[in-house]
Amino acid sequence: MAVIAIERMGLLSVVCVSLFFSSTFAVDRGNFKTCDQSAFCKRQRALKPGQSPYRALLETLELSDSRLTLQLINDNNKVHLLLELYRLQGNMTRVKINELKPLRPRFEVPDVLIAEPPTEPLSVLSKDDNGVVLSLGAKNQRLIVSARPFRLDIMQGPEVLLSLNSRGLLAFEHLRLHKDTQAQPDGAEVKESVDGDQQQDEGEKDEDGESDKEEDGLWEETFKSHTDTKPNGPTSISLDFSLPGVEHVYGIPEHADDLKLKTTDGGDPYRLYNLDVFQYELYNPMALYGSIPVMLAHNTQRTMGIFWLNAAETWVDISSNTAGKTVFGKMLDFVQGSSEKPQTDVRWISESGIIDVFIMLGPKPSDVFSQYASLTGTQSFPPLASLGYHQCRWNYNDQEDVKSVDQGFDQHDIPYDFIWLDIEHADGKRYFTWDPHKFPQPKEMLQGLMDKRRKMVAIVDPHIRVDSGYKIHNEITSKDFYVKNKDGRNYEGWCWPGNSGYPDFTKPEMRAWWSSMFAYDQYEGSMENLFTWNDMNEPSVFNGPEVTMHKDALHGKWEHRDIHNIYGLYVQMATAEGQTQRSGGVERPFVLTRAFFAGSQRFGAVWTGDNAAEWGHLKISIPMCLSLGLVGVSFCGADVGGFFKNPSTELLVRWYQTGAYQPFFRAHAHLDTTRREPWLFGPENTALIREVIRQRYALLPYWYQLLYQAHKTGMPVMRPLWVDYPKDTATFTIDDEFLIGSDLLVHPVTEEGSRGVTAYLPGAGEVWYDVHTFQKHNGAQNLYIPVTLSSIPVFQRGGSIIPRKDRVRRSSACMENDPYTLYVALSPKKFAEGELYIDDGHSLNYDTKKEFIHRSLTFANNALTSSNLCPDCNFLTSSWIEKVLILGASKPSKVLLKMDGKETPVDFEFDTSMSVLTLRKPGMNAGADWTLLLQ
Amino acid sequence: MTCVHLLLTLVFAVSLGTPVEIQRPRGVPLTSIQFYVENKPFTCLDGSRTISFDRVNDDYCDCKDGSDEPGTAACPNGSFHCTNAGYRPMFIPSSRINDGICDCCDTTDEYNSGAKCENTCKELGRKEREVLQKMAEITKEGFLLKQHLIEEAKKGQQEKQSKVTDMQGNKKQLDEKVEVLRTVKETAEQPEKEAKERHLKAWEEQKAAIRLEKDKAKMAEAFLELDDNADGFVSVSELQSHAELDADADGTLTETEAQGLMGGAEQVDTSTFESVWPNIKDKYHSEVSREEADMSCLVSSEVPFGQKVFFLEKTVVKLSAQKARDDFEEAEKALREMDDQIRNIEKELSFDFGPDAEFTYLYSQCYELTTGEYIYRLCPFNRVSQKPKYGGSETNLGTWGSWSGPENNKYLLMKYDHGTGCWQGPNRSTTVKLTCGKETVVTSTSEPSRCEYLIEFTTPAVCQEPANTDLSPHDHEEL
């Protein structure tokens, strides 16, 4: 939560009160910087495309087996840069640019890459005075280094896939001495701004360039009442990328915007700077809680990715030569044979650090996902229960309240797995403690939940109350683990508890200590069914600049400026590690985070922060989670119902229906909202919500298998349609419907009073089955679907097999041993395939001991066969196959089960109207080899 | 493979000392046993289809209504019956069979899950009987108390009713007295009033005279101004120089228009100008700076003069009127007080104090409960408030709204609303839940939703007449 209850925060400074009072139900934009108010962004953006002053010094080229280095020189100021090029395994290229001899080391982001990426040999194909041509291995792919001006082009055959610095926007503000102490190094001309570095045309490059220095915010910058001291002066970097033939780019979350990124001409660039934005606005490029500097570029031929590994404040400009054109204009170009090829140009600007870019060359969407996964890891494999329904509220008041909500679910026969406690549960917002009046017996409460096979999440935020009576604070102080301010004293800021310190999570020792705090003997009142929620980890500092930490605060030798966007990742990393450790490395952790960075997918789930009970926020939850999924974070969700304000009953029902088909499914509400447990809106609405939560639980085997797949391969769970239909341009901008895996297509109803939706069913020659009625529809059409309040348009792809557990119980754990029903949806060619994944649902034994079942299910030639995808795996299940539904089938004369060399007949029923064949109780164990023959 | 085949439970029960053995499929209540006849085809209870009996409880759902699987979790809409001998029988959703959680106190729902359930029916039954016993005692005593409350309320009501009647009689007399005194007062005040009117009139006349004089002066001034050539006449052309006098507002004052203003004359002297002046004075702009405000200034500055005369005379007259006025006011005050009293009693009588006025005794009482942080105060039919225990101001949690219990008994809940507003939230409100008790006390307070409070309150006034049954255990219902 970002909002503060003033009444309960008597401590809060006047600054904060005015900060939050000034906003009604819209973000107060004045609290957050525009590019113009961010000195480096303004400087960099003032630089326009043109001739680059950078030149490659080919004589400095050095080529080892897998690494090429080369110096670049800026002809304006003679500063030398070092370019490093790597060819990485899996069709990727890494480009690093740093100063050759920086005054001090520049920050390079650690802990994001899971390992030093394995390289492949680079070879020089040709070299002359103009440049070098390198081979990128197979498929006729080459990397061309042009010397004057410096640029890089990645080619395949005659086609340019991507160019760097083709617009001359490479700009590297080298480290320098402040004017007071400045010496002229090596007689080189020292220029202070990007403009000075590059733009000749002004013709007014006075020798010291000091005239506008302070105004430019080079050595100091003030925003509102906050001054950033910038002891290192200007350090920003920028580079442009051109993508010929590309009209669609995606990614760079987190923004409350459409899936397809827009051009930023005439507005602000997309901003990546983790911020606690109070009541965020929709459809704009403002920064939000998390940042993943990864962009995907897609056309019918190829999907590529750009991963800009930099944790400082970053802005991304996008322009396109077709953006302004109407369809008619494009047609005219085509008819007239216009030579102009569509092209998207992208420019990245960061405040500090180095240029470290990974170019993922695809070519298929799935290739890009696995390429990115090979760099930063995959989605953590969550405990099965965390895919169930989560009931949260700020706040469940006390143990009694928790108990009665828990009973409410049973009384109304609604399943749920987790109940959540927000900040009020802790004693005076001292995390790792319990309010002695409201939660005097946490273990008793947790045991009560455990008896129902349910779980709890309690919040642990990274701001620590400065209080000499608080163990956590005292230990952090004595170990000197707090972030420091610019003067070297402990940094303090205001957050929920009042005056707070911020542990320096960039320190491995600090993280190790934090992890140890989750041990059962340290975290009093905790049990194995207690999990964690990290909120406010941007970090949120109520009285800081832009509600976050001062950039000149210090993390050891690095400034907060350098590491800002990765702080939240570290918090979740240390928390998840603590949960793993408390079980001796046996159990999977579950940690939800609000702030995130590239790599955060390895540590748990992400939600889209403090949204509002408005239809627009329901709608935006789809592109927001789709964007996250494209860049690795599959376990995404939005607060069901909307955090701020009270949803109408219709909105709440629609939100449940949407949330039930998104990966992380949690209802949450602000302290000031009225209660909204699912049964408080009359029996009819209770029934609607119950129904959709039950649909979620029935599909848990499918969700679980998809999370396993995401964990193994990096494939997103919730996907835009174009991921599976990359050649169908009609899918490229769709973000009001989505796929779950490849096999379920969901078009949630997100309009008030809707009587129908139009869903696009992709795939020429394919069919889709309505999962509720089993009615068959052809692919490659826009299908109008009339809806009522009970409708949730969901379709299963013809050609797929989805396992379900149709016996929905009160929690996922209760369903552990229940039998499966297989939903076999036949393609027009009477074919279907799917998978079934089973393990214990909570431990790491699937990984450490290969204790799981992974089976391939195939329907072909009138036979459904289960075969083992992991023969050396070892897991026993008591689940069995109770039913098989074959959609689009014809009536057989006989059905036989072939198993263990025996054939036994199986009862069946055939529904002629919908062509559904139901096999009654074949009864085989879910882990066995078997074949069902239709004759 | 875990197929659960038809399982028959054997229930032994002891009744009248004779052992009886009853067989029925698992999960079926006695009342439905006739539909489940072994080895005979089973027809789904909704009549939708008939299946062979070996498909009953075979862990596969054949009937849409779930009736073929009373003892397994196979049907999503099924229900399971547990006998719970010693306690009360109940139905649970089929989904709770073998889910690892003990739902039936007789453990019959967990026959294949590995859950270690203990039969707690006897204990539960005993406890329930104890609670019921206690409740019954409370209800009994509470109901007696309630009778007293009703009696007292009725008595009180009658008293108040007759008091009101008495008072209304007294009030009539008082009304008359007030009227008499009013006449006396008005007569005594007559000279005073006349003096006042006289002076007011004089004052008005004086004001008019001053105004007239001013106007004349202004007219003379205007004449001099207009008479540009100072020949003692204002001519048409001289008037035309004042474009603001333009009648049709087209920006120019034509000759004809000017002549019109001058009553058709070519020129006017000072005396004939008097007839022209009214035509133009409203629009006329003086060439020198005009001081329109002067007039009002002058007039208002004259006020004290007139008033002084008036006050002098008033003082004399007042002395004679004062006594009559005092007498009248005293009588009127007495009447008002009586009105208030009548209104208060009528207001009290108008409250809905329950079907038998049993809640009357709560009126104008307050009940407090001190919790960890706050002192809560409930004043029924008035308001609810909260005050921090260690100093701080009181917060209004709502004023009396209405009875808001369920339709069959609205007197189980009280609603207090429109309390102090919450920051970014609604106005505070409180629901008071009434339960039967011998004593009238606030037993708990909570805030289930932000700014929506719940107070639990016991009172004999809601105790129902105890049903005339003995509290034997439920064993007889299920054998």
Side-chain angles (χ1 to χ4, degrees):
Chain A
M1 328 127 287
V3 73
I4 41 174
I6 296 296
E7 290 166 285
R8 299 200 174 173
M9 292 289 294
L11 303 160
L12 216 60
S13 70
V14 176
V15 180
C16 265
V17 174
S18 63
L19 183 73
F20 286 94
F21 259 133
S22 55
S23 35
T24 51
F25 275 108
V27 68
D28 184 351
R29 289 185 182 221
N31 286 332
F32 303 102
K33 288 183 184 180
T34 60
C35 177
D36 252 9
Q37 291 167 321
S38 185
F40 77 93
C41 186
K42 186 179 181 184
R43 281 199 307 274
Q44 288 278 9
R45 229 187 176 200
L47 179 65
K48 301 296 175 202
Q51 175 88 1
S52 175
Y54 286 96
R55 187 157 53 85
L57 302 173
L58 295 180
E59 64 276 16
T60 63
L61 185 147
E62 285 177 37
L63 181 65
S64 70
D65 189 29
S66 59
R67 173 177 183 254
L68 177 146
T69 60
L70 186 62
Q71 289 180 26
L72 308 178
I73 186 168
N74 181 337
D75 279 331
N76 291 341
N77 61 13
K78 307 298 179 216
V79 172
H80 286 241
L81 303 180
L82 181 69
L83 167 76
E84 295 173 72
L85 292 174
Y86 300 87
R87 184 182 152 211
L88 303 183
Q89 279 179 19
N91 205 15
M92 287 182 282
T93 301
R94 182 180 192 178
V95 179
K96 267 175 100 165
I97 303 175
N98 195 353
E99 288 180 59
L100 181 65
K101 290 176 184 162
L103 218 51
R104 287 173 296 278
R106 297 181 66 117
F107 185 68
E108 299 188 31
V109 188
D111 301 310
V112 168
L113 301 177
I114 48 174
E116 200 50 41
T119 55
E120 286 189 306
L122 268 174
S123 58
V124 175
L125 293 175
S126 67
K127 182 182 171 189
D128 61 19
D129 289 350
N130 296 323
V132 187
V133 179
L134 301 160
S135 165
L136 289 178
K139 290 180 191 167
N140 203 14
Q141 265 175 201
R142 286 156 298 144
L143 173 62
I144 298 166
V145 184
S146 305
R148 185 191 292 267
F150 164 69
R151 70 180 262 172
L152 293 174
D153 292 276
I154 295 176
M155 315 259 313
Q156 175 159 330
E159 265 186 283
V160 178
L161 301 180
L162 176 136
S163 311
L164 282 69
N165 199 32
S166 55
R167 290 191 299 150
L169 295 171
L170 168 61
F172 210 105
E173 289 181 332
H174 59 279
L175 292 166
R176 64 205 71 188
L177 297 171
H178 195 285
K179 60 177 172 181
D180 302 336
T181 54
Q182 188 169 327
Q184 295 280 324
D186 307 330
E189 186 185 20
V190 178
K191 298 303 296 181
E192 298 297 353
S193 70
V194 170
D195 305 72
D197 275 353
Q198 302 205 356
Q199 294 303 73
Q200 296 278 9
D201 47 358
E202 287 146 37
E204 51 187 12
K205 299 182 61 177
D206 47 78
E207 204 53 39
D208 56 9
E210 280 179 23
S211 47
D212 297 336
K213 221 194 273 184
E214 297 309 328
E215 285 164 50
D216 286 353
L218 295 177
W219 295 91
E220 188 176 285
E221 176 174 355
T222 299
F223 178 67
K224 300 191 96 173
S225 60
H226 302 284
T227 298
D228 175 6
T229 58
K230 298 196 180 181
N232 295 332
T235 56
S236 75
I237 53 169
S238 158
L239 181 60
D240 63 280
F241 301 80
S242 291
L243 296 153
V246 169
E247 287 181 271
H248 295 86
V249 286
Y250 308 95
I252 55 169
E254 179 176 16
H255 300 100
D257 208 348
D258 293 327
L259 173 67
K260 176 189 185 291
L261 298 172
K262 294 167 181 152
T263 61
T264 56
D265 305 325
D268 256 10
Y270 283 98
R271 189 183 189 201
L272 294 172
Y273 191 57
N274 296 357
L275 291 175
D276 179 0
V277 181
F278 179 73
Q279 290 172 345
Y280 60 79
E281 242 176 66
L282 308 183
Y283 305 107
N284 74 42
M286 285 175 73
L288 286 179
Y289 313 95
S291 302
I292 301 184
V294 178
M295 182 184 284
L296 268 55
H298 177 73
N299 62 24
T300 52
Q301 301 306 308
R302 179 181 286 272
T303 310
M304 293 185 291
I306 298 168
F307 170 29
W308 174 268
L309 179 49
N310 188 300
E313 180 184 343
T314 296
W315 298 78
V316 185
D317 253 323
I318 298 167
S319 58
S320 151
N321 62 355
T322 55
K325 283 188 185 168
T326 58
V327 174
F328 180 73
K330 287 183 193 173
M331 259 167 59
L332 209 64
D333 282 353
F334 180 74
V335 173
Q336 293 172 343
S338 166
S339 60
E340 198 182 23
K341 195 177 173 187
Q343 175 168 316
T344 295
D345 296 309
V346 182
R347 180 188 188 191
W348 297 74
I349 303 167
S350 290
E351 188 176 10
S352 67
I354 64 160
I355 293 173
D356 190 359
V357 193
F358 297 82
I359 296 155
M360 301 171 280
L361 290 168
K364 295 199 301 290
S366 57
D367 295 326
V368 176
F369 300 134
S370 67
Q371 284 156 4
Y372 181 62
S374 74
L375 298 173
T376 66
T378 58
Q379 177 65 55
S380 65
F381 188 35
L384 173 59
S386 66
L387 290 168
Y389 173 62
H390 299 260
Q391 183 67 37
C392 185
R393 168 172 188 87
W394 176 25
N395 213 100
Y396 285 119
N397 299 331
D398 48 30
Q399 281 178 229
E400 249 335 284
D401 200 3
V402 168
K403 197 172 172 183
S404 75
V405 171
D406 178 71
Q407 285 168 352
F409 277 92
D410 287 342
Q411 273 157 24
H412 298 91
D413 200 18
I414 299 172
Y416 89 96
D417 269 86
F418 281 82
I419 186 163
W420 292 52
L421 295 180
D422 209 323
I423 52 173
E424 312 297 332
H425 86 276
D427 181 12
K429 322 282 194 298
R430 296 172 188 89
Y431 307 110
F432 299 101
T433 71
W434 304 84
D435 184 301
H437 302 292
K438 299 169 185 162
F439 296 92
Q441 303 292 341
K443 284 197 175 178
E444 196 181 293
M445 170 176 64
L446 288 164
Q447 186 59 52
L449 291 168
M450 199 180 282
D451 291 345
K452 296 265 197 82
R453 309 183 77 175
R454 288 172 177 149
K455 298 164 177 59
M456 174 171 263
V457 169
I459 200 164
V460 175
D461 287 352
H463 52 261
I464 301 300
R465 179 167 168 156
V466 174
D467 170 3
S468 58
Y470 179 24
K471 180 185 89 170
I472 299 284
H473 166 69
N474 291 341
E475 286 205 32
I476 296 173
T477 309
S478 71
K479 293 179 193 302
D480 200 22
F481 280 159
Y482 275 127
V483 174
K484 300 287 184 280
N485 65 22
K486 63 178 164 43
D487 306 320
R489 291 192 304 273
N490 284 348
Y491 178 92
E492 287 181 4
W494 287 87
C495 211
W496 298 122
N499 201 27
S500 304
Y502 292 77
D504 188 353
F505 282 90
T506 66
K507 279 193 177 129
E509 320 85 80
M510 155 61 209
R511 294 200 298 274
W513 173 83
W514 179 267
S515 299
S516 73
M517 287 299 102
F518 288 87
Y520 296 119
D521 59 350
Q522 292 291 328
Y523 189 167
E524 276 175 41
S526 69
M527 285 174 50
E528 61 267 34
N529 63 340
L530 179 69
F531 296 83
T532 312
W533 171 18
N534 292 149
D535 196 0
M536 316 299 280
N537 51 341
E538 293 76 22
S540 178
V541 181
F542 291 157
N543 58 341
E546 303 191 81
V547 203
T548 192
M549 192 171 277
H550 292 71
K551 284 178 173 171
D552 52 12
L554 294 170
H555 301 258
K557 65 176 177 172
W558 302 111
E559 283 190 287
H560 185 68
R561 182 186 332 279
D562 298 311
I563 67 95
H564 176 84
N565 281 347
I566 199 178
Y567 186 86
L569 174 145
Y570 278 131
V571 175
Q572 193 190 18
M573 176 196 257
T575 304
E577 179 57 31
Q579 272 186 20
T580 310
Q581 281 176 13
R582 71 176 182 181
S583 68
V586 172
E587 296 295 320
R588 284 175 235 169
F590 172 70
V591 182
L592 177 73
T593 183
R594 190 170 71 181
F596 51 83
F597 189 64
S600 284
Q601 70 270 16
R602 304 197 300 266
F603 309 113
V606 162
W607 97 108
T608 62
D610 299 345
N611 61 1
E614 293 167 6
W615 289 91
H617 276 269
L618 167 60
K619 200 186 275 260
I620 207 79
S621 70
I622 301 171
M624 286 180 83
C625 278
L626 286 176
S627 296
L628 275 163
L630 289 176
V631 297
V633 180
S634 265
F635 203 9
C636 170
D639 285 348
V640 169
F643 178 65
F644 293 113
K645 307 215 290 182
N646 294 306
S648 68
T649 303
E650 184 191 359
L651 176 57
L652 185 69
V653 169
R654 290 299 189 202
W655 213 317
Y656 269 101
Q657 292 172 343
T658 306
Y661 286 91
Q662 291 176 350
F664 176 58
F665 182 27
R666 182 186 73 150
H668 186 33
H670 187 276
L671 184 68
D672 289 331
T673 59
T674 46
R675 293 290 282 243
R676 52 166 101 134
E677 284 70 47
W679 50 88
L680 295 176
F681 302 87
E684 282 168 30
N685 295 302
T686 305
L688 292 173
I689 295 171
R690 176 195 299 121
E691 168 57 24
V692 73
I693 296 179
R694 290 173 70 110
Q695 286 178 24
R696 167 65 168 226
Y697 274 77
L699 278 168
L700 283 178
Y702 183 59
W703 282 105
Y704 195 50
Q705 168 208 321
L706 289 174
L707 261 301
Y708 180 73
Q709 185 192 39
H711 175 61
K712 283 290 162 191
T713 68
M715 277 303 283
V717 169
M718 177 177 164
R719 306 172 187 166
L721 270 60
W722 64 260
V723 167
D724 281 76
Y725 299 87
K727 293 191 186 304
D728 183 352
T729 54
T731 64
F732 290 3
T733 57
I734 291 178
D735 61 6
D736 57 354
E737 67 181 55
F738 53 89
L739 293 168
I740 301 169
S742 297
D743 301 339
L744 280 185
L745 182 145
V746 187
H747 189 113
V749 181
T750 57
E751 300 278 350
E752 185 169 16
S754 182
R755 301 204 168 176
V757 296
T758 301
Y760 179 70
L761 302 181
E766 295 191 24
V767 292
W768 293 87
Y769 297 86
D770 184 316
V771 299
H772 310 296
T773 63
F774 304 136
Q775 191 177 345
K776 189 160 77 176
H777 302 280
N778 288 324
Q781 67 154 327
N782 282 303
L783 180 70
Y784 180 78
I785 306 144
V787 298
T788 64
L789 195 52
S790 65
S791 314
I792 315 153
V794 181
F795 301 88
Q796 184 177 344
R797 188 177 58 82
S800 67
I801 301 176
I802 294 181
R804 287 200 219 170
K805 281 189 175 179
D806 282 336
R807 303 183 181 188
V808 175
R809 304 194 189 242
R810 64 185 132 194
S811 72
S812 65
C814 293
M815 296 162 64
E816 185 186 353
N817 299 315
D818 280 340
Y820 291 89
T821 296
L822 303 180
Y823 286 76
V824 181
L826 296 184
S827 71
K829 289 180 179 162
K830 306 290 175 201
F831 175 82
E833 62 186 340
E835 289 178 16
L836 177 60
Y837 176 85
I838 307 172
D839 63 16
D840 65 14
H842 56 85
S843 79
L844 290 161
N845 294 346
Y846 76 94
D847 189 38
T848 53
K849 300 181 183 167
K850 289 204 137 198
E851 288 182 3
F852 62 91
I853 292 167
H854 195 192
R855 304 201 66 85
S856 157
L857 304 167
T858 310
F859 185 96
N861 305 318
N862 277 324
L864 175 62
T865 305
S866 170
S867 51
N868 202 344
L869 285 172
C870 185
D872 57 337
C873 284
N874 165 35
F875 186 74
L876 293 177
T877 179
S878 48
S879 293
W880 48 286
I881 311 294
E882 69 169 327
K883 198 195 278 193
V884 178
L885 265 78
I886 304 174
L887 315 181
S890 24
K891 188 177 181 177
S893 57
K894 201 162 130 189
V895 178
L896 289 174
L897 170 65
K898 265 177 73 175
M899 206 169 123
D900 303 327
K902 278 178 268 178
E903 288 191 3
T904 42
V906 174
D907 283 334
F908 63 88
E909 279 173 39
F910 186 73
D911 172 0
T912 339
S913 65
M914 288 291 167
S915 303
V916 178
L917 176 67
T918 305
L919 310 187
R920 188 191 188 279
K921 207 180 173 191
M924 51 284 191
N925 184 281
D929 287 326
W930 49 262
T931 297
L932 282 162
L933 293 167
L934 313 187
Q935 293 179 334
Chain B
M1 191 160 115
T2 313
C3 284
V4 181
H5 297 288
L6 176 68
L7 287 157
L8 294 173
T9 55
L10 300 179
V11 180
F12 297 92
V14 180
S15 179
L16 303 168
T18 318
V20 177
E21 188 179 282
I22 301 166
Q23 284 195 331
R24 53 178 144 138
R26 193 194 295 275
V28 175
L30 257 189
T31 48
S32 304
I33 192 162
Q34 69 271 25
F35 304 116
Y36 298 85
V37 184
E38 204 173 350
N39 300 324
K40 287 202 174 150
F42 172 77
T43 302
C44 306
L45 297 187
D46 64 359
S48 57
R49 67 189 290 193
T50 299
I51 55 177
S52 66
F53 195 77
D54 59 8
R55 291 193 173 183
V56 171
N57 276 344
D58 72 338
D59 207 15
Y60 184 90
C61 191
D62 292 285
C63 295
K64 280 204 175 96
D65 67 353
S67 57
D68 63 316
E69 297 295 316
T72 78
C75 293
N77 52 347
S79 56
F80 174 86
H81 184 264
C82 23
T83 309
N84 291 345
Y87 187 51
R88 57 172 79 181
M90 64 178 191
F91 286 96
I92 59 167
S94 292
S95 64
R96 295 183 192 170
I97 300 169
N98 291 328
D99 67 349
I101 300 164
C102 310
D103 291 283
C104 297
C105 63
D106 65 3
T107 77
T108 51
D109 61 319
E110 297 299 316
Y111 56 85
N112 194 26
S113 70
K116 291 190 180 75
C117 300
E118 276 174 40
N119 189 324
T120 56
C121 292
K122 283 214 170 93
E123 181 63 13
L124 284 171
R126 190 179 59 74
K127 274 189 187 153
E128 190 191 42
R129 282 191 296 279
E130 274 173 21
V131 169
L132 286 175
Q133 195 103 38
K134 215 170 177 183
M135 277 299 300
E137 276 162 29
I138 290 172
T139 307
K140 201 171 152 192
E141 285 179 50
F143 189 70
L144 279 178
L145 287 170
K146 182 178 172 181
Q147 303 313 309
H148 288 295
L149 291 176
I150 292 170
E151 264 170 51
E152 267 170 47
K154 284 198 173 137
K155 236 183 271 166
Q157 240 170 0
Q158 278 161 9
E159 272 166 26
K160 279 174 191 135
Q161 202 66 259
S162 63
K163 196 173 169 192
V164 168
T165 318
D166 290 352
M167 284 167 89
Q168 268 159 348
N170 293 342
K171 190 192 155 200
K172 220 170 231 171
Q173 290 169 14
L174 205 49
D175 267 337
E176 282 158 16
K177 188 179 166 193
V178 166
E179 279 317 303
V180 171
L181 286 173
R182 187 194 305 279
T183 319
V184 172
K185 181 191 106 172
E186 278 168 6
T187 318
E189 280 176 348
Q190 195 57 33
E192 186 186 56
K193 199 177 163 194
E194 277 164 12
K196 194 175 167 185
E197 276 165 9
R198 205 163 49 241
H199 283 280
L200 201 64
K201 200 180 165 204
W203 165 235
E204 284 301 326
E205 282 165 2
Q206 201 181 349
K207 262 201 311 194
I210 291 167
R211 213 175 276 132
L212 193 66
E213 217 167 288
K214 273 268 138 186
D215 192 43
K216 270 193 181 148
K218 209 170 162 192
M219 178 178 72
E221 198 183 309
F223 186 86
L224 289 175
E225 267 179 30
L226 283 167
D227 184 11
D228 286 341
N229 54 6
D231 60 353
F233 294 97
V234 171
S235 66
V236 169
S237 59
E238 280 169 342
L239 195 64
Q240 273 181 277
S241 68
H242 278 256
E244 76 270 18
L245 301 174
D246 176 26
D248 57 5
D250 65 354
T252 50
L253 183 63
T254 63
E255 206 176 307
T256 333
E257 280 170 343
Q259 216 162 350
L261 289 173
M262 291 181 51
E266 282 294 320
Q267 56 176 35
V268 291
D269 62 7
T270 24
S271 61
T272 27
F273 188 67
E274 277 180 39
S275 62
V276 177
W277 176 242
N279 298 338
I280 64 171
K281 68 175 174 188
D282 290 342
K283 287 186 179 175
Y284 181 76
H285 283 189
S286 170
E287 286 154 28
V288 294
S289 70
R290 286 188 323 130
E291 283 161 37
E292 186 65 47
D294 267 7
M295 177 74 180
S296 58
C297 267
L298 181 71
V299 169
S300 63
S301 73
E302 289 295 317
V303 173
F305 168 72
Q307 290 285 51
K308 266 177 224 159
V309 181
F310 170 64
F311 282 132
L312 267 177
E313 196 171 327
K314 187 181 167 187
T315 319
V316 183
V317 179
K318 196 179 168 185
L319 286 171
S320 58
Q322 190 58 48
K323 186 168 178 333
R325 205 154 30 221
D326 288 349
D327 291 347
F328 166 73
E329 274 165 15
E330 199 180 320
E332 209 184 31
K333 193 180 161 206
L335 179 65
R336 261 203 315 271
E337 277 168 5
M338 180 161 287
D339 262 343
D340 282 350
Q341 280 179 29
I342 294 172
R343 238 196 323 276
N344 280 341
I345 297 172
E346 280 177 341
K347 184 186 165 198
E348 188 180 338
L349 289 171
S350 75
F351 271 104
D352 179 358
F353 288 129
D356 298 309
E358 62 267 43
F359 297 102
T360 311
Y361 82 107
L362 297 172
Y363 190 75
S364 72
Q365 300 294 312
C366 291
Y367 304 88
E368 285 189 350
L369 180 72
T370 304
T371 64
E373 275 178 272
Y374 297 104
I375 300 166
Y376 290 87
R377 191 175 162 88
L378 165 66
C379 305
F381 305 104
N382 184 7
R383 68 197 290 264
V384 183
S385 60
Q386 174 202 57
K387 202 175 163 177
K389 212 152 111 186
Y390 307 107
S393 57
E394 192 182 80
T395 307
N396 180 357
L397 303 185
T399 50
W400 167 248
S402 60
W403 291 104
S404 58
E407 252 170 59
N408 59 357
N409 190 358
K410 67 172 177 171
Y411 301 102
L412 290 177
L413 293 178
M414 286 174 154
K415 185 82 186 172
Y416 294 81
D417 40 27
H418 302 109
T420 313
C422 275
W423 183 72
Q424 277 217 343
N427 282 13
R428 287 174 175 78
S429 64
T430 303
T431 301
V432 178
K433 194 173 154 197
L434 291 83
T435 48
C436 167
K438 286 185 279 186
E439 295 182 2
T440 306
V441 274
V442 174
T443 55
S444 80
T445 62
S446 57
E447 190 182 352
S449 202
R450 186 144 167 77
C451 305
E452 290 175 16
Y453 297 81
L454 176 69
I455 287 184
E456 305 221 21
F457 186 58
T458 63
T459 160
V462 292
C463 295
Q464 299 291 324
E465 187 167 10
N468 197 16
T469 52
D470 67 316
L471 291 155
S472 57
H474 298 275
D475 299 18
H476 302 307
E477 291 179 26
E478 277 288 339
L479 294 174

